[in-house]
Amino acid sequence: MNITWDADLYEKKFDYIRRYGADLVELLDAPAGSAVLDLGCGNGALTEVLRERGYRVMGLDSSPELLAAAQKNHEDIRFLRGDARDFVLDDTVDAVFSNAVFHWIDREDQDKMLNSVFQALKPGGQFVFEFGGHGNNALIHAALEKEFRQFGYEYHIPFYFPTIGEYAGRLERAGFKVTYAILFPRPTELFSDSGMADWIRMFVKTPFLGVTPEDREGIIEGAVERLRYPLEQDGTWYADYVRLRMKAVKE
Ligand code: BEZ
């Protein structure tokens, strides 16, 4: 999926992506000095956390906007432009790390991406990642689907949210041994009065292609009202995130 990101907005309002990703870093137990690729590094915030843990890091992302922000904030880290589905590194690495990226990759491109990761790793290399798992944002997408229908449009969830079983199968077919897997709910506070509307505007792009600007606003307003009861508490919005967190090793 090709998306033009607003790097400023991403940093200011969606900073939880970095904060929640920080404990994922703990799953990596490579020795200090190991070469680690942050796949889909975005603005480089977690690449920096990995570096602080003593790894030799490198970030790869397809978004020129986010890469420019990453390079500006972390001048001495090497950031590369590339596509997670199809990348080749000059040298293999000891670990590949990725947070909140793989749900953006279409189901039919997932195996290609896993093969690229496999090729990028040294034998024994670790692959640690987290992304949206089965049931992620189910309430949000159900509300959007109802509103799209009311306005006469069809809605398709524009993300890939697999179960543990489905993803473990893909990893094993790509040659990995799965050593850790968990699917867990993680309600996530959204930091603004218009938190849910901002979230929808930031992340739900392709379903709105072909929707008129007036209908788009009506759909967002309607979805926000539908979501107020389950996802707003005392003026604070929460998104119904479900994370799939896994670790696998290249045998
Ligand atoms: C996620 O991190 O699960 C996610 C973020 C934005 C859109 C879809 C999923």
Side-chain angles (χ1 to χ4, degrees):
M1 199 180 297
N2 283 323
I3 292 212
T4 303
W5 291 102
D6 180 334
D8 251 13
L9 192 63
Y10 186 92
E11 207 157 303
K12 286 192 188 115
K13 288 202 178 159
F14 299 95
D15 178 56
Y16 59 81
I17 295 169
R18 177 182 64 82
R19 283 185 295 106
Y20 281 114
D23 73 320
L24 176 63
V25 169
E26 312 272 323
L27 255 192
L28 252 187
D29 59 4
S34 298
V36 178
L37 171 70
D38 184 2
L39 182 57
C41 61
N43 62 9
L46 285 176
T47 326
E48 174 64 41
V49 174
L50 289 162
R51 180 177 55 181
E52 284 162 8
R53 293 182 69 92
Y55 299 126
R56 287 184 290 123
V57 294
M58 182 168 48
L60 185 139
D61 206 284
S62 60
S63 159
E65 296 81 18
L66 293 180
L67 279 176
Q71 202 66 79
K72 185 165 152 244
N73 295 339
H74 314 285
E75 279 175 8
D76 50 344
I77 294 181
R78 184 163 169 235
F79 291 102
L80 308 169
R81 182 147 183 222
D83 186 332
R85 294 169 299 185
D86 193 7
F87 68 94
V88 179
L89 300 180
D90 293 341
D91 293 308
T92 51
V93 290
D94 300 296
V96 174
F97 172 92
S98 182
N99 183 51
V101 174
F102 299 163
H103 47 252
W104 293 100
I105 295 176
D106 291 342
R107 171 185 300 272
E108 50 278 15
D109 291 328
Q110 291 284 333
D111 293 341
K112 223 164 66 168
M113 185 271 289
L114 293 178
N115 287 331
S116 294
V117 172
F118 193 84
Q119 296 307 327
L121 279 168
K122 292 187 168 58
Q126 299 177 31
F127 182 27
V128 166
F129 59 88
E130 178 176 311
F131 66 106
H134 188 67
N136 197 31
N137 308 136
L139 292 170
I140 298 176
H141 292 300
L144 283 167
E145 184 171 14
K146 285 190 186 125
E147 286 301 319
F148 268 69
R149 207 175 313 127
Q150 286 229 324
F151 280 78
Y153 300 98
E154 270 193 41
Y155 183 75
H156 301 285
I157 298 180
F159 303 106
Y160 173 63
F161 298 139
T163 61
I164 288 179
E166 176 175 347
Y167 218 69
R170 285 189 191 279
L171 285 160
E172 286 173 2
R173 284 192 296 279
F176 289 100
K177 179 174 82 176
V178 176
T179 57
Y180 179 89
I182 183 170
L183 181 75
F184 61 100
R186 196 205 62 203
T188 299
E189 187 175 342
L190 304 176
F191 291 94
S192 84
D193 301 344
S194 51
M196 186 52 67
D198 286 349
W199 189 96
I200 294 170
R201 287 203 177 87
M202 181 78 174
F203 293 122
V204 183
K205 307 271 192 198
T206 50
F208 285 104
L209 298 173
V211 173
T212 65
E214 306 78 59
D215 285 354
R216 175 189 159 92
E217 288 315 300
I219 288 170
I220 294 175
E221 228 173 83
V224 166
E225 283 320 306
R226 284 180 191 275
L227 291 166
R228 198 173 288 284
Y229 166 68
L231 295 181
E232 191 206 42
Q233 274 168 35
D234 303 326
T236 301
W237 281 97
Y238 295 84
D240 55 335
Y241 277 72
V242 175
R243 316 314 294 161
L244 175 59
R245 178 178 286 192
M246 296 182 86
K247 180 171 178 177
V249 176
K250 172 173 176 170
E251 291 201 289

